[in-house]
Amino acid sequence: MSINIDKSEWKDVWTLAEFNHGKMHGVSFELLAWGRDLADDRGCKLCSVVLTDEIGDAELNQLFAHGADKIYVVTHPALKNFITEMNAKVVRKLVEDLKPEVFLAAATTTGRTVMPYVAIQTRAGLTADCTGLAIDPETGELHQTRPAIGGNIMATIKTPEARPQMATVRPKSKKPLAADESRTGDVVRVEMPEDFFVTKMTLDTFIANDLNEVPVEEADIVVAGGAGVGNLGNFALLEDLADVLGGTVGVSRVPVDQGWRPYIKQVGMSGKTIAPKLYIACGISGTVHHIVGMQTSETIVAINTDPEAKIFQVADLGVVGDLTKLLPKLTAKIKEEKERMAA
């Protein structure tokens, strides 16, 4: 399909919404913010694709409010839980039949598994983990920017011959547009062949992560620890501070490699991209791999014994000191202030 195709047949910008277990995930709105700029530059419609077992008008209207002009909906009981093979078959059929010019998904489990499958099957171009997207004003082609060579440079990639031009973008790399409840659009419900929902895979059970804790990518306050925390026991100091602040604990790669914390808590190029209101980096040196995942935080506080640590280059406030001595004092002071204000 990428050889001698008629590019005039391919139009509109698509985003792959993530809706499951009755919840529209925030990344769906972030994608629409990316797509709205691109669709406006191309003078075309912004369309969102929803695959699920069932969804109501209220949830679909959220997509319109955040920028969508049209929504393609495929519903089937088998789509209640995410299975890559099944979702990819449906998305491939939509792409081949409706021919989007640009197709965006999030660099989540969904986007990172479905989009490569579709790209291979349709012989399209795909750029993963983008941090920037723009339309070339002269050619109309999509320029896709992402970290390369270990994050040491930023590469801009284009796929001038292939369609659709496909990209996954890192969650939290762009803020959703302000919701406009007056916006409306077209909902197109698409039927798929029944054999699309037959798979050799069997779902045994669904287990949600951290049912009693806000995911690190959704938290407003993150207290993160790196190799400088020293050991598993010292993470209790970070947990105490996070608790008093109403936040959650995140980590750089080393604590995950050491088994101190699970991968779902990792922030960075190979983990989560986050943008909390407050990010407190404790014992984190600040490699490019980590900074890529947290540099869009509103306020960054860094605590490190090394005054030359790279993390200080992106910090709004830097403290050179021993976190094992600083954190207990900081936690106690915050508790004291909260009690005073409550009195």
Side-chain angles (χ1 to χ4, degrees):
M1 291 179 63
S2 62
I3 300 176
N4 296 323
I5 64 171
D6 182 358
K7 289 187 285 188
S8 66
E9 295 181 351
W10 300 76
K11 61 180 181 179
D12 294 339
V13 174
W14 283 17
T15 67
L16 182 61
E18 295 193 18
F19 179 86
N20 50 56
H21 296 276
K23 179 182 178 182
M24 186 70 73
H25 293 273
V27 72
S28 304
F29 307 133
E30 295 169 26
L31 288 170
L32 288 171
W34 282 110
R36 187 68 269 165
D37 289 341
L38 302 179
D40 289 345
D41 286 345
R42 290 296 289 150
C44 66
K45 290 184 178 180
L46 175 59
C47 309
S48 193
V49 175
V50 180
L51 314 181
T52 187
D53 57 331
E54 59 180 357
I55 186 170
D57 291 342
E59 288 78 16
L60 294 176
N61 286 338
Q62 292 179 45
L63 296 174
F64 290 132
H66 285 88
D69 300 313
K70 179 184 287 188
I71 304 172
Y72 294 107
V73 182
V74 179
T75 56
H76 191 281
L79 294 173
K80 180 177 182 179
N81 295 294
F82 176 74
I83 297 177
T84 302
E85 177 189 11
M86 200 178 297
N87 280 253
K89 285 181 181 178
V90 173
V91 172
R92 175 189 177 183
K93 178 68 171 171
L94 290 171
V95 166
E96 291 178 337
D97 289 351
L98 300 173
K99 293 181 170 54
E101 182 179 31
V102 173
F103 195 5
L104 309 178
T108 58
T109 299
T110 298
R112 284 173 170 167
T113 54
V114 169
M115 297 296 266
Y117 180 110
V118 175
I120 291 171
Q121 294 295 320
T122 61
R123 300 179 68 186
L126 171 63
T127 303
D129 288 358
C130 294
T131 57
L133 298 171
I135 297 295
D136 185 317
E138 295 184 4
T139 65
E141 294 168 357
L142 177 66
H143 285 192
Q144 304 146 73
T145 302
R146 58 153 293 155
I149 312 179
N152 292 306
I153 66 169
M154 300 300 286
T156 297
I157 300 166
K158 59 182 180 180
T159 51
E161 300 302 325
R163 293 293 183 272
Q165 301 163 96
M166 299 173 64
T168 59
V169 296
R170 283 183 164 265
K172 299 294 183 179
S173 57
K174 196 176 187 70
K175 292 183 178 180
L177 301 174
D180 180 356
E181 304 297 339
S182 67
R183 294 190 84 259
T184 59
D186 299 322
V187 176
V188 180
R189 297 188 178 271
V190 183
E191 297 291 331
M192 289 287 165
E194 193 63 29
D195 61 2
F196 274 41
F197 305 105
V198 177
T199 176
K200 295 179 181 178
M201 298 182 66
T202 301
L203 180 69
D204 221 13
T205 186
F206 175 80
I207 302 174
N209 287 324
D210 290 335
L211 290 175
N212 297 317
E213 186 176 358
V214 176
V216 66
E217 65 269 27
E218 297 180 12
D220 286 334
I221 298 174
V222 175
V223 180
V229 174
N231 56 62
L232 176 60
N234 284 341
F235 266 92
L237 302 177
L238 278 70
E239 291 171 351
D240 290 343
L241 179 57
D243 285 343
V244 75
L245 290 172
T248 192
V249 172
V251 294
S252 63
R253 182 170 181 171
V254 172
V256 174
D257 291 343
Q258 293 292 332
W260 299 341
R261 281 296 183 274
Y263 169 72
I264 58 172
K265 293 292 187 179
Q266 184 176 326
V267 176
M269 187 178 295
S270 55
K272 307 287 187 181
T273 300
I274 66 175
K277 294 179 180 178
L278 174 62
Y279 187 80
I280 304 177
C282 305
I284 294 175
S285 62
T287 64
V288 171
H289 298 76
H290 183 74
I291 290 175
V292 164
M294 46 64 72
Q295 62 187 348
T296 55
S297 303
E298 290 186 18
T299 301
I300 300 171
V301 176
I303 301 172
N304 203 293
T305 56
D306 179 8
E308 301 300 321
K310 292 182 180 179
I311 192 69
F312 290 130
Q313 297 176 12
V314 297
D316 298 290
L317 174 64
V319 181
V320 178
D322 185 343
L323 65 89
T324 63
K325 296 177 180 179
L326 289 171
L327 294 190
K329 294 179 180 179
L330 178 59
T331 301
K333 185 63 176 177
I334 293 173
K335 284 182 178 178
E336 179 184 322
E337 283 297 305
K338 290 179 72 175
E339 291 171 356
R340 183 185 65 80
M341 293 176 67

